[in-house]
Every structure is written in structure tokens, then in C-alpha cells.
Amino acid sequence: QPQLVESGGGLVQPGGSLTLSCTASGITMAHYTVGWFRQAPGKEREGVAALDAHEVSLYYSPSVKGRFTISRDDSKNMAWLQMNDLKPEDTAVYYCAAGWDFTLANMAGEAEYENWGQGIQVTVSS
């Protein structure tokens, strides 16, 4: 079965940086859009960033645009989310997801993604 595993989370101070990694197995990432989602306490899960298999279509949530960068390396079956200038409101569980590129219609819609990681905690606090 396909498996996605996130790593790199933890506790950082406001203004700090973290890079989350997503490592895939049992799936050829070259055929999938990669998305990063997050869910804060008491909030709905939201799309943060996404990058399609052709590296042509790119999505960022307005709340993170200019601070976060999504990247991928299909030869390694990996993706990353570089997070800079972190704010307390970025505190959430972050998820990596993969959706079949040829049927995906909404890059920010979680229902479009068939494969999900287990999630990893990011806490931004003084």
C-alpha cells in the first residue's frame, strides 16, 4: 500500500523556521500532485500548499504565501515544506498528501487526495 511519512516537526519560537519532509513509498510520486494540509485545534483541516506533477500548477494559502515554499524531487519520492517567519497561528498538525494528477481538479481540496501521511505536530510558541 502507498505510504507517506512526514518528519521535521517540533517546537519553534515565533519568527523561526522549520522544514517538513514527506517521504513516499509504494507510490510513484511523478504521477501525483503533492499537497500539504494542516489542522489547528478546534479548526477544520485546510490546504496550505500544493504542487502538481508537472511543476506547473502551484497553490499557497493566502495566510502562508511568501513565508512557505513547497518543493519536490520525484527521483527521491520526496516533498518538502519550508516554513519561514513562523507565527503562533501556524501551530497545527501538518499532513502530506498525494492525489492522482490526471483526476485532481482542486489542488486545495482534501477530498481530491487519495493518500495521506499520519500528520506531524508543529508548535510555534515563545
Side-chain angles (χ1 to χ4, degrees):
Q1 299 184 60
Q3 185 174 10
L4 306 178
V5 179
E6 302 97 337
S7 63
L11 174 66
V12 296
Q13 295 187 27
S17 298
L18 279 177
T19 298
L20 303 181
S21 298
C22 176
T23 302
S25 61
I27 188 172
T28 301
M29 292 296 287
H31 301 299
Y32 289 82
T33 293
V34 172
W36 287 95
F37 294 78
R38 68 185 182 187
Q39 188 165 23
K43 302 287 188 179
E44 296 287 327
R45 186 154 59 185
E46 64 172 338
V48 176
L51 182 61
D52 79 330
H54 308 287
E55 300 192 53
V56 172
S57 297
L58 182 64
Y59 169 82
Y60 289 107
S61 167
S63 65
V64 309
K65 191 172 185 179
R67 299 189 296 121
F68 291 12
T69 303
I70 186 172
S71 60
R72 62 189 294 165
D73 186 341
D74 293 340
S75 71
K76 299 179 179 179
N77 259 10
M78 292 186 69
W80 297 267
L81 184 68
Q82 174 68 48
M83 304 183 293
N84 297 321
D85 191 25
L86 283 161
K87 305 177 185 298
E89 54 263 40
D90 295 318
T91 295
V93 175
Y94 283 72
Y95 299 86
C96 177
W100 179 244
D101 197 68
F102 295 98
T103 57
L104 194 146
N106 177 13
M107 298 183 74
E110 63 181 276
E112 304 282 352
Y113 294 83
E114 298 87 18
N115 306 286
W116 290 81
Q118 80 287 351
I120 191 165
Q121 179 70 45
V122 172
T123 301
V124 185
S125 176
S126 300

